[in-house]
Amino acid sequence: MSRTKISLFDLTTNSEASRTIWQLAALGGLALAAGLLLSGCKTATPAEDAPTVTVQVGAAENQPIQLKVIADAVLYPRDQAAIVPKIIAPVKKFYVQRGSPVEKDQLLAELENQDLAGAHQKSLGGLQQAQATYDMEVQKVAQDAKLAKQTMDSAQKLYDSRQALYKEGAISAKDVEDANVALTQARNAYELAQKQFDLKVAEGQVNAAKGDYASAEANVSYTKILSPIRGVVTDRPNYAGETPAAGAPLITIMDLSEVVARVHISQLDASRLKAGDDATILVPGQGPALKAKVTLVSPALDPNSTTVEVWVQAPNPGGRLKPGVSARVTMIGQTVTKAIVAPAAALLTDTDGVTSMIILDTDNKPHKKKVKVGIRDGGDIQITDGLQGGERVVTVGAFELDKMDDMTKATIQVQSPKMPDEEEDQ
């Protein structure tokens, strides 16, 4: 195969071919130059970007704050009386129904009492008889004492007279001795009459009769059922003619003018409360919360739950709240009218117990500040030292910023907090 030789002259004279060859040469030179440049220089690395942290913020504001203790409770009436008859007898008559308002000492019902009334009448007769016997004994003892006194006085005069005669020699010594013996006997009889033995026996009989009569009278009174309190009849399980079971309440009365919410809370929460503190009682679906007061903080622990029982009492107009229902009780142990209040979500606590918050300045630069905290109220917390008020604190993203070596280099992107309905949609 023969090779065709092309001279430089031919290339220069052949314009179309020469143009193509020079273009290829130029491209080859550029590629060579680029290869030399890349081989002689290191690859450039882009500058590291500053980290971006998305945060949410809240405000530290000057406003009041309250220390609240919130707990679930069960409602009880202000006062309650489950009346159990002291005797077992059929019901003669009821004077009230369920729902009847009653006053204190009002007659509610009567029990059958014919036998008790007979015993009462008999005891009354016994008392009257004993009293009559006693009165007769009193008269007899008085007469016996009077007679004994007269006998003693006569014996004394006789003795004195004989002593005078004996001194004059008119009578013998034996006559004086006989008068002395008679005086001694009369004096002993008088002293014995003064002791009134018969009267004491009669008095004892009267007292015994009085006791029998009082017992019979009490039994009769037990057949009349009276209300010990003012309130409303909430239960009356029997009908007239029935005999209530032993130990079972015949009628239950409740004073619903006020309700008492009984809660069990921890020892720490109980130490923050005292009788007289303001409170509220709320029953869901039963209208607005009732204003209440703490009336009792138990001085002892419940041995089973090691909690403290607290009573909260509130007026119950119209008996709107019913005993036995569950309620939410909010008790206010302390109120600070002028305080710096910040969201509790912004609080950071180190392992050594030091508390702090991340603050954003006007340029959205984060800074960490140590703070001292006071009382809490739900999602808010009192800052007693470290903040001046009006500052922005990081609530979401504070933990990520706190882990950085230099949080001031971070780029902060402030995000608006999501509303509850937005979170549900997601």
Side-chain angles (χ1 to χ4, degrees):
M1 180 176 178
S2 62
R3 297 180 179 177
T4 304
K5 294 183 179 180
I6 301 174
S7 65
L8 182 61
F9 173 79
D10 293 331
L11 291 176
T12 55
T13 56
N14 191 337
S15 58
E16 185 67 25
S18 63
R19 187 182 304 113
T20 301
I21 292 173
W22 284 113
Q23 287 176 348
L24 291 174
L27 291 174
L30 289 174
L32 178 62
L36 292 175
L37 181 61
L38 291 174
S39 63
C41 299
K42 295 182 179 180
T43 303
T45 58
E48 294 184 358
D49 295 332
T52 299
V53 179
T54 302
V55 301
Q56 294 179 10
V57 298
E61 300 177 349
N62 292 284
Q63 63 184 39
I65 189 172
Q66 293 177 326
L67 172 62
K68 297 177 181 177
V69 178
I70 302 175
D72 293 326
V74 176
L75 296 188
Y76 292 82
R78 175 189 178 184
D79 202 358
Q80 176 176 327
I83 306 172
V84 178
K86 293 185 178 181
I87 61 173
I88 300 176
V91 178
K92 181 179 180 181
K93 186 176 182 180
F94 279 111
Y95 295 97
V96 293
Q97 304 290 335
R98 287 186 181 181
S100 298
V102 297
E103 298 293 333
K104 183 178 180 181
D105 296 328
Q106 179 178 332
L107 181 62
L108 307 177
E110 285 187 276
L111 306 180
E112 296 291 350
N113 63 354
Q114 289 88 344
D115 55 341
L116 297 177
H120 176 262
Q121 188 66 28
K122 182 179 179 179
S123 65
L124 176 58
L127 174 59
Q128 291 172 343
Q129 183 178 359
Q131 186 67 49
T133 301
Y134 174 76
D135 294 339
M136 292 175 60
E137 288 294 336
V138 169
Q139 293 178 2
K140 181 178 180 298
V141 167
Q143 291 176 356
D144 291 345
K146 182 179 180 180
L147 180 60
K149 179 69 168 55
Q150 291 174 351
T151 303
M152 185 184 68
D153 292 342
S154 298
Q156 182 69 48
K157 290 179 180 180
L158 177 62
Y159 174 73
D160 294 340
S161 174
R162 287 190 177 185
Q163 268 196 330
L165 292 175
Y166 175 73
K167 290 179 181 179
E168 295 176 357
I171 60 174
S172 64
K174 183 178 181 305
D175 294 332
V176 175
E177 183 63 25
D178 290 343
N180 186 35
V181 171
L183 175 60
T184 301
Q185 291 176 346
R187 184 179 293 113
N188 291 338
Y190 177 70
E191 291 176 354
L192 186 62
Q194 288 289 95
K195 293 181 180 179
Q196 302 178 353
F197 289 114
D198 294 338
L199 187 60
K200 290 186 181 297
V201 172
E203 185 178 358
Q205 292 175 345
V206 170
N207 289 335
K210 285 182 177 179
D212 291 340
Y213 176 73
S215 178
E217 190 174 37
N219 287 334
V220 171
S221 69
Y222 294 155
T223 64
K224 294 184 177 182
I225 310 301
L226 305 179
S227 176
I229 62 172
R230 180 180 181 272
V232 177
V233 177
T234 58
D235 193 17
R236 204 206 74 179
N238 298 104
Y239 294 92
E242 293 183 332
T243 300
L250 179 65
I251 296 176
T252 300
I253 308 294
M254 290 185 182
D255 183 355
L256 303 179
S257 62
E258 294 187 356
V259 290
V260 178
R262 301 181 186 180
V263 301
H264 287 81
I265 58 178
S266 67
Q267 302 177 48
L268 177 60
D269 286 339
S271 66
R272 298 167 176 167
L273 300 172
K274 63 183 182 302
D277 285 343
D278 291 332
T280 59
I281 299 176
L282 175 64
V283 176
Q286 298 288 327
L290 297 178
K291 293 183 179 180
K293 291 284 186 181
V294 175
T295 57
L296 172 68
V297 179
S298 177
L301 295 178
D302 185 315
N304 297 321
S305 62
T306 65
T307 57
V308 179
E309 186 175 54
V310 178
W311 289 12
V312 177
Q313 188 167 326
N316 186 28
R320 176 164 63 89
L321 300 185
K322 306 301 181 185
V325 304
S326 299
R328 175 57 63 93
V329 176
T330 301
M331 298 160 284
I332 301 174
Q334 182 182 355
T335 300
V336 180
T337 56
K338 296 181 179 180
I340 297 175
V341 181
L347 188 67
L348 300 172
T349 304
D350 296 340
T351 55
D352 56 0
V354 177
T355 52
S356 58
M357 288 186 174
I358 306 297
I359 312 300
L360 292 185
D361 60 19
T362 54
D363 296 328
N364 280 352
K365 291 296 183 182
H367 304 279
K368 186 176 182 180
K369 282 189 177 182
K370 292 182 179 180
V371 297
K372 293 182 179 180
V373 300
I375 62 177
R376 294 175 181 259
D377 180 10
D380 294 330
I381 190 168
Q382 178 193 11
I383 305 301
T384 60
D385 187 38
L387 297 181
Q388 300 300 319
E391 296 169 296
R392 294 185 300 160
V393 295
V394 178
T395 57
V396 176
F399 183 73
E400 288 77 3
L401 291 172
D402 190 42
K403 292 190 299 183
M404 296 181 179
D405 295 333
D406 187 1
M407 67 178 68
T408 59
K409 294 182 178 180
T411 299
I412 303 299
Q413 182 178 356
V414 180
Q415 182 185 57
S416 299
K418 294 180 180 180
M419 301 303 291
D421 54 350
E422 295 178 353
E423 295 178 354
E424 293 177 359
D425 293 340
Q426 292 183 1

